[in-house]
Amino acid sequence: MQKIDLSLVSKFVDASIANDKKLALKLAKKIAEQHNCSLSFELDTLDWSANWLKSDERIATQSMVQELRQYEA
């Protein structure tokens, strides 16, 4: 059984705040792999989950998700 790293979502938020698109994409792919789902579904989940963050974190995270969706397309 593969060990699940619960800190990846927090690292994704940090990468989003730092506007590090390369790291955010790497983390989103890793999270999707751990959850055994597509990158698209994981981006939807991250976008939805961002609603419970502080305003500045929410805006940065949702903006990063939008940028990564453009990359994915």
Side-chain angles (χ1 to χ4, degrees):
M1 181 187 277
Q2 184 182 23
K3 184 177 178 182
I4 295 177
D5 185 353
L6 299 176
S7 69
L8 291 178
V9 175
S10 175
K11 291 176 182 177
F12 179 84
V13 172
D14 292 342
S16 298
I17 292 169
N19 202 25
D20 187 343
K21 186 175 180 179
K22 188 175 181 179
L23 178 59
L25 178 60
K26 179 180 170 184
L27 291 166
K29 286 180 178 181
K30 181 75 172 176
I31 297 167
E33 179 184 321
Q34 286 187 354
H35 292 159
N36 196 28
C37 64
S38 68
L39 178 59
S40 177
F41 182 81
E42 191 58 49
L43 290 175
D44 288 344
T45 303
L46 289 166
D47 188 32
W48 181 79
S49 298
N51 287 316
W52 283 267
L53 297 172
K54 295 186 304 185
S55 179
D56 57 333
E57 293 173 340
R58 183 185 72 245
I59 292 168
T61 301
Q62 290 178 329
S63 294
M64 182 60 71
V65 167
Q66 286 179 339
E67 287 183 39
L68 295 180
R69 282 188 179 137
Q70 291 174 358
Y71 165 82
E72 182 189 29

